[in-house]
């Protein structure tokens, strides 16, 4: 049982707000491995800035991996070539950004190799992003599912909604297509990383 710190879900290319929580609560960071997989959340989707505005990238999961499957057991579906679609979208959206080419080789393998489980895939990406951001504290992982935790634990498992805008303020940073739709807040961390590069950690 976790005694203190913050408990976060595992997301795909998590939003900027997620990393502000990581920097706020490190070193007492925990990632939920054993929850039942909820649908239509950042666990398998990420928002990026496209020429037409907000674009949501969804990692498809194997049917039946929905309601009562622990997060760590949810399998990725490869029935269609979503990796190619995601990578082409990232290239199209961020090719003009200041740092995309700088990080391109780090992210490319995630769109070339197949990983069986969504949790493992997201975990490897999270480790990469934390390394690129120079966040040196690795998170801990839950061993069992607990519906409730003591008040000394900040439970953030349901704190991030892919459906509604984030309430916290985020100061604008340069985005490639901002002249079209203005500043879009709380996009995937890759939006901040590709636009701000090594300065991204200072923003967080």
């Amino acid at each position: 049982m976790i005694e203190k710190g913050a408990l976060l879900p595992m997301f795909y290319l998590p939003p900027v707000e997620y990393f502000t929580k990581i920097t706020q609560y490190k070193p007492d960071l925990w990632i939920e491995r054993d929850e039942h997989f909820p649908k239509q959340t950042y666990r398998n989707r990420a928002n990026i800035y496209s020429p037409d505005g907000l674009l949501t990238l969804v990692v498809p999961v194997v049917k039946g991996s929905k309601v009562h499957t622990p997060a760590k057991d949810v399998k990725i579906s490869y029935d269609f070539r979503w990796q190619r679609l995601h990578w082409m979208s990232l290239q199209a959206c961020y090719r003009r950004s200041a740092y995309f080419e700088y990080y391109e080789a780090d992210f490319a393998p995630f769109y070339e190799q197949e990983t069986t489980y969504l949790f493992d895939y997201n975990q490897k990406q999270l480790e990469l992003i934390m390394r690129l951001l120079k966040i040196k504290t690795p998170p801990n992982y839950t061993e069992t599912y607990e519906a409730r935790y003591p008040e000394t634990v900040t439970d953030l498992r349901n704190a991030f909604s892919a459906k509604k805008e984030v309430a916290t303020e985020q100061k604008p940073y340069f985005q490639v297509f901002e002249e079209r739709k203005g500043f879009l807040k709380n996009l995937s961390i890759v939006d901040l990383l590709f636009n701000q590069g090594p300065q991204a950690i200072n923003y967080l």
Side-chain angles (χ1 to χ4, degrees):
M1 181 79 147
I2 304 167
E3 299 297 330
K4 63 170 187 167
L7 179 63
L8 292 157
M10 178 64 88
F11 286 166
Y12 170 60
L13 299 178
V16 169
E17 185 189 16
Y18 184 94
F19 286 91
T20 62
K21 299 297 184 194
I22 284 182
T23 55
Q24 182 181 345
Y25 287 101
K26 67 182 171 72
D28 297 312
L29 275 179
W30 294 83
I31 303 272
E32 173 65 79
R33 248 169 38 114
D34 301 280
E35 64 178 358
H36 287 157
F37 182 71
K39 292 191 288 185
Q40 297 190 327
T41 68
Y42 289 123
R43 286 158 182 83
N44 68 324
R45 64 189 56 215
N47 292 330
I48 62 173
Y49 205 147
S50 81
D52 300 317
L54 192 72
L55 174 65
T56 302
L57 303 176
V58 179
V59 178
V61 296
V62 172
K63 294 278 184 288
S65 318
K66 294 283 167 53
V67 195
H68 297 302
T69 310
K72 66 178 186 292
D73 296 330
V74 171
K75 291 183 176 180
I76 297 174
S77 169
Y78 293 95
D79 287 348
F80 79 95
R81 297 176 67 188
W82 65 268
Q83 286 172 294
R84 183 169 181 271
L85 177 68
H86 285 208
W87 188 236
M88 286 173 66
S89 298
L90 288 167
Q91 287 176 315
C93 294
Y94 296 108
R95 177 62 70 204
R96 284 171 50 204
S97 68
Y99 294 95
F100 179 78
E101 288 186 0
Y102 188 68
Y103 297 120
E104 187 174 8
D106 292 308
F107 285 94
F110 289 98
Y111 301 96
E112 294 161 355
Q113 300 153 11
E114 292 189 6
T115 304
T116 305
Y117 294 100
L118 178 68
F119 190 93
D120 296 345
Y121 184 77
N122 289 347
Q123 182 181 4
K124 286 181 195 139
Q125 279 194 331
L126 179 65
E127 287 167 358
L128 167 66
I129 293 163
M130 287 178 74
R131 192 173 81 243
L132 297 178
L133 290 170
K134 296 188 166 50
I135 299 171
K136 295 192 167 62
T137 316
N140 306 290
Y141 295 92
T142 59
E143 294 296 332
T144 56
Y145 176 75
E146 306 289 341
R148 287 191 179 78
Y149 282 91
E151 286 180 8
T152 49
V153 176
T154 305
D155 187 347
L156 298 169
R157 288 176 293 185
N158 299 309
F160 308 91
S161 172
K163 293 291 182 69
K164 52 182 189 276
E165 193 175 298
V166 60
T168 50
E169 278 304 305
Q170 284 186 354
K171 63 178 190 287
Y173 56 87
F174 174 77
Q175 293 173 319
V176 176
F177 300 111
E178 66 182 14
E179 77 282 356
R180 303 187 188 200
K181 303 279 182 183
F183 176 71
L184 297 185
K185 65 180 183 177
N186 209 36
L187 296 179
S188 165
I189 190 67
V190 296
D191 185 82
L192 179 65
L193 200 58
F194 294 155
N195 283 306
Q196 297 294 307
Q199 296 303 314
I201 189 63
N202 299 333
Y203 178 87
L204 297 171

